[in-house]
Amino acid sequence: MSLPSLAVAPSPAASAPAPVSRLRGFGPNHYAAVMGTAMLATAGSGLPQHVGGLRGLCTALWALAALALLAVLVARGAHWAHHRDQARAHLRSPAVAPFYGCLAMAFLALSAATQRVGPDVLGHGAALRLAAVLFAIGAVLAVVVAAGIPVLMIVHARARFADVSPVWLLPLVAPMVAASVGPGLVAELPAGQARETLVYACLALFGTSLLAVLVVLPLVGARLLTGGGWPTRLAPSLFLVLGPLGQSTTATGAIAEAARGVLPDGTAEGLRVFSIVYGVPVMGFALLWLLIAAALVARALAQGLRPSSTWWAFTFPVGTCVTGPTQLAAHTGLAAYRWLAAAVYVFLLFAWCAAAFGAVRELGARPAAAA
């Protein structure tokens, strides 16, 4: 997902050669590529159906996501070191600051993928230790961005209704991603208080994110319906609304699964029932929004929308519409959810390829533009 241009004070970097110019514009949105690639591995490895070769593909995607995270971390560190004025301008922008949620979710998405396919390469023990470290970093960052970015926007951004965007959901949904990833590590902890604490912590993260999203989501809907249309280049961001919907369904199912044998039987059964009662209608709305967003993106394509890094918005949020039905299939036993997960995963594969093509196309065009 690309960033809008920001007006910042001139600096010596303005006359720098093309590679420095590219670094100057390297924002936190680039973590979305890590999220989308890791999600493709996680969603594919968790499908109820067995598909030959899919496990190997997911392992390769996990490795690619790990390399991508390292590369983006290095580039972002260099950005802060050499272009601090631009980095500070990003934090003051209501259009850019929310992308810091992608930093937390990149760690969390890679943790989830490591839990799924990491043992094939690293062995069970090493993979789970790595996943735990990634989860711990991501969970802390998720809480920091969920609280810190809204504060920065309130104090510095002076945002208007015209600035409202689905991008604002990114820092708020980060704790929900943590809530869905943490349950996979519960069984690795000592029995007793440690496991119970993690289950309840994930439930708290679920509630934290859900209530925060419920504050912002009506603003996004109102802006879409009454704001006089949506800029063509921002059409892919409409898919970001799927993130909290599919991820919350994933989280409730994962928490309910982790609670079995850890929490009292009545509590665990209540969480299982809640995961179904909550997940079924929410996934219904997610599918409705998927149709609305797809129709508006199709309209944007007819108006000239071309592949770019903004198309990473199609990947991670759509992936949550694979992991959500996968959890519902496990708890309801309905074949319909298994086939829904498989169908959306096929769409996700095409979306990832399109996003990757757009990102490469955009990078290839920048040197010419900067020259």
Side-chain angles (χ1 to χ4, degrees):
M1 290 174 278
S2 61
L3 298 178
S5 59
L6 297 173
V8 296
S11 73
S15 59
V20 177
S21 299
R22 288 200 298 270
L23 177 61
R24 183 168 177 79
F26 198 90
N29 58 303
H30 287 84
Y31 288 109
V34 181
M35 295 164 55
T37 304
M39 173 56 85
L40 196 60
T42 301
S45 60
L47 284 176
Q49 298 88 354
H50 173 74
V51 180
L54 182 58
R55 184 79 179 183
L57 173 63
C58 292
T59 302
L61 289 165
W62 163 72
L64 180 60
L67 292 174
L69 178 59
L70 290 174
V72 176
L73 285 172
V74 170
R76 287 291 298 152
H79 183 269
W80 269 98
H82 298 292
H83 302 288
R84 194 162 297 176
D85 61 329
Q86 183 78 347
R88 288 175 175 170
H90 286 169
L91 284 173
R92 294 192 298 269
S93 168
V96 181
F99 280 104
Y100 273 91
C102 294
L103 168 61
M105 290 187 285
F107 279 95
L108 293 166
L110 188 58
S111 175
T114 302
Q115 292 176 39
R116 288 285 188 178
V117 299
D120 295 352
V121 178
L122 304 175
H124 181 81
L128 268 296
R129 285 191 292 271
L130 175 59
V133 171
L134 292 168
F135 169 74
I137 295 171
V140 170
L141 288 173
V143 174
V144 170
V145 298
I149 297 302
V151 169
L152 285 173
M153 292 177 67
I154 291 169
V155 174
H156 296 293
R158 306 264 196 287
R160 302 163 300 171
F161 180 68
D163 298 320
V164 174
S165 161
V167 168
W168 286 17
L169 295 169
L170 289 171
L172 305 180
V173 79
M176 189 70 77
V177 179
S180 66
V181 175
L185 298 169
V186 169
E188 306 304 316
L189 296 175
Q193 287 276 319
R195 293 184 181 182
E196 293 176 16
T197 299
L198 183 54
V199 172
Y200 281 121
C202 291
L203 191 59
L205 288 167
F206 163 81
T208 298
S209 180
L210 178 65
L211 295 176
V213 165
L214 289 177
V215 172
V216 174
L217 195 55
L219 295 176
V220 174
R223 170 67 180 83
L224 180 62
L225 292 172
T226 65
W230 207 262
T232 298
R233 63 184 178 82
L234 297 181
S237 69
L238 293 170
F239 277 75
L240 295 177
V241 174
L242 296 173
L245 302 174
Q247 199 66 60
S248 61
T249 303
T250 304
T252 54
I255 292 170
E257 185 176 343
R260 287 186 299 179
V262 174
L263 302 185
D265 291 344
T267 303
E269 178 60 18
L271 287 173
R272 188 192 70 82
V273 173
F274 174 71
S275 72
I276 298 172
V277 172
Y278 172 89
V280 170
V282 168
M283 280 310 307
F285 180 70
L287 294 176
L288 174 63
W289 188 270
L290 179 61
L291 294 175
I292 293 172
L296 292 174
V297 167
R299 178 174 179 267
L301 288 170
Q303 294 175 341
L305 178 67
R306 292 294 177 263
S308 70
S309 59
T310 61
W311 285 28
W312 287 116
F314 297 142
T315 56
F316 188 88
V318 172
T320 68
C321 293
V322 178
T323 57
T326 297
Q327 284 291 347
L328 286 175
H331 290 290
T332 65
L334 291 177
Y337 284 116
R338 293 197 293 271
W339 290 111
L340 174 61
V344 177
Y345 188 75
V346 172
F347 176 76
L348 177 60
L349 282 169
F350 284 105
W352 185 90
C353 291
F357 171 77
V360 171
R361 177 177 176 271
E362 190 174 86
L363 287 173
R366 282 180 181 175

